Amino acid sequence: MFKLPAKRTASLALAATAATAALTLAFVTSASATAGAGAPQDGRAVAATPSESGGPESAFSRISTFYGAYIDAVYDGDGARATQLRAAYLSAPLQRELKKWEETHHADGVLRAQNVPLEWKVSYVDSGMGKTNATVTLTWSGSDTTRIHVQADLQTRKILSIRD
């Protein structure tokens, strides 16, 4: 078996100990700086940073993306963009159905309302038989909410139906 000289072994051990100490100090300093950054000093909990995610191959993500963009367009008064979004995300039969619904109810068929919600949330329900189902919760002034059932085709990822 190969043996290092005693002086060399001591140098390696000292270097390894110093490196471990430096890494430990860096980790502890980093962890405490991260934990304390922006945290209130009185021990209150800090809310998580909001995030959204999705993917172009997911029918559920398409529902969420559509509702977010559509509500933004309607809120901004951008009718042309809202029409483009309907053409891109909604099936042709649904577009015709919504047109009839809107003529009867004098309201936006996608939102099922005459005004624009203050918040929206899309929740996955289930998938089966080539479809995915979601619930869209629209929040109006205060805590008044509306829930809409939305169904999309898993293959085309187009929204097929919007129901109260």
Side-chain angles (χ1 to χ4, degrees), residues 83-161:
T83 300
Q84 289 172 339
L85 288 165
R86 283 180 175 226
Y89 286 87
L90 307 181
S91 69
L94 177 57
Q95 291 179 58
R96 290 189 296 274
E97 180 184 319
L98 288 176
K99 187 173 182 104
K100 289 179 188 175
W101 190 95
E102 291 168 345
E103 288 170 0
T104 302
H105 295 90
H106 307 288
D108 186 306
V110 170
L111 302 175
R112 297 296 207 238
Q114 293 179 338
N115 52 357
V116 183
L118 301 174
E119 295 178 13
W120 58 271
K121 177 181 175 183
V122 180
S123 303
Y124 176 80
V125 175
D126 62 14
S127 293
M129 298 185 64
K131 314 273 188 291
T132 193
N133 298 290
T135 299
V136 178
T137 304
L138 304 174
T139 303
W140 311 94
S141 61
S143 60
D144 186 27
T145 61
T146 302
R147 285 190 176 77
I148 301 169
H149 176 75
V150 180
Q151 187 176 70
D153 184 274
L154 289 172
Q155 185 176 5
T156 66
R157 295 173 302 281
K158 294 267 189 176
I159 296 173
L160 302 173
S161 73

